Amino acid sequence: MTIRIVRGNPTPEELAAALAVVRARAAAAAGPPGAPAARDAWSDPARLAARRLPALGPAAWTRTYWPGS
């Protein structure tokens, strides 16, 4: 990472404070170390729960697993 001062003359304390903020933001965006990777949408059970229930009727059991059938 390269940071360049384009205007002004910051003191060493001001520069250190600005760099601390930038590093803290970068660390927060990266997430905690050892955190599990985000779940894939395919394996997310909420994907199936968001769909509407099949219509009721004598053959409703055939539509319970395959939505839209």
Side-chain angles (χ1 to χ4, degrees):
M1 173 181 358
T2 303
I3 297 177
R4 191 175 89 184
I5 310 287
V6 294
R7 190 184 319 177
N9 189 14
T11 64
E13 292 83 13
E14 293 171 334
L15 190 57
L19 289 176
V21 169
V22 170
R23 289 190 60 159
R25 294 281 304 228
R39 291 182 69 171
D40 190 33
W42 177 256
S43 64
D44 188 10
R47 173 180 67 89
L48 296 174
R51 295 189 177 147
R52 62 180 176 84
L53 295 174
L56 298 177
W61 66 272
T62 63
R63 294 185 298 267
T64 57
Y65 184 72
W66 300 106
S69 307

